């Protein structure tokens, strides 16, 4: 845990635990929100016929939706748990590495 604290610039173990909790809640919440959102926009698993292609299309769309939900929820939950600065910097660094850094300039 000390290596992780040093790498992220965290000073206390309590802060590290809060950050790990935020990561776990965010991942679960992003997956949970994607399904009702797809239903809300009219894309349900039952709308596709039961072929491998339609199942692949549904899951691809769902996974593509999870990514932006995760990014937004990460900062939101980070703010709720008092770690906004850490997660905002983490978000900028991650998007910059993905080639989406232009969003913050």
């Amino acid at each position: 845990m000390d290596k992780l604290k040093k790498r992220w610039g965290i000073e206390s173990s309590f802060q590290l635990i809060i950050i790990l909790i935020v990561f776990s809640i965010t991942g679960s919440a992003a997956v949970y929100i994607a399904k009702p959102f797809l239903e809300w926009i009219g894309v349900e698993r039952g709308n596709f016929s039961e072929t491998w292609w339609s199942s692949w299309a549904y899951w691809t769309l769902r996974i593509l939706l999870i990514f932006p939900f995760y990014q937004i929820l990460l900062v939101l939950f980070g703010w709720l748990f008092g770690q906004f600065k850490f997660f905002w910097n983490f978000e900028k660094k991650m998007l910059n590495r993905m080639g989406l850094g232009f969003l913050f300039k």
Side-chain angles (χ1 to χ4, degrees):
M1 285 184 39
D2 289 332
K3 286 183 180 182
L4 195 54
K5 287 193 307 189
K6 184 177 179 183
R7 180 177 179 183
W8 284 350
I10 299 169
E11 297 184 16
S12 71
S13 295
F14 179 74
Q15 187 180 10
L16 178 63
I17 290 169
I18 295 295
I19 288 170
L20 294 176
I21 289 170
V22 169
F23 276 123
S24 64
I25 291 172
T26 301
S28 299
V31 170
Y32 182 77
I33 289 173
K35 184 178 180 181
F37 184 80
L38 282 172
E39 291 172 0
W40 181 69
I41 62 172
V43 177
E44 295 180 21
R45 193 169 183 190
N47 289 355
F48 296 102
S49 61
E50 292 299 321
T51 63
W52 72 271
W53 174 253
S54 60
S55 180
W56 182 84
Y58 171 81
W59 285 105
T60 301
L61 183 59
R62 186 167 176 186
I63 290 169
L64 289 174
L65 277 174
I66 289 171
F67 176 73
F69 287 146
Y70 184 83
Q71 306 309 313
I72 294 166
L73 290 173
L74 188 62
V75 175
L76 177 69
F77 285 129
W79 175 73
L80 287 173
F81 281 84
Q83 299 297 320
F84 177 79
K85 184 178 179 182
F86 172 82
F87 284 103
W88 183 247
N89 290 332
F90 187 87
E91 190 70 31
K92 289 190 292 187
K93 189 176 180 181
M94 181 170 48
L95 290 175
N96 194 28
R97 287 181 177 174
M98 293 177 155
L100 300 172
F102 64 88
L103 296 171
F104 297 106
K105 291 185 180 183

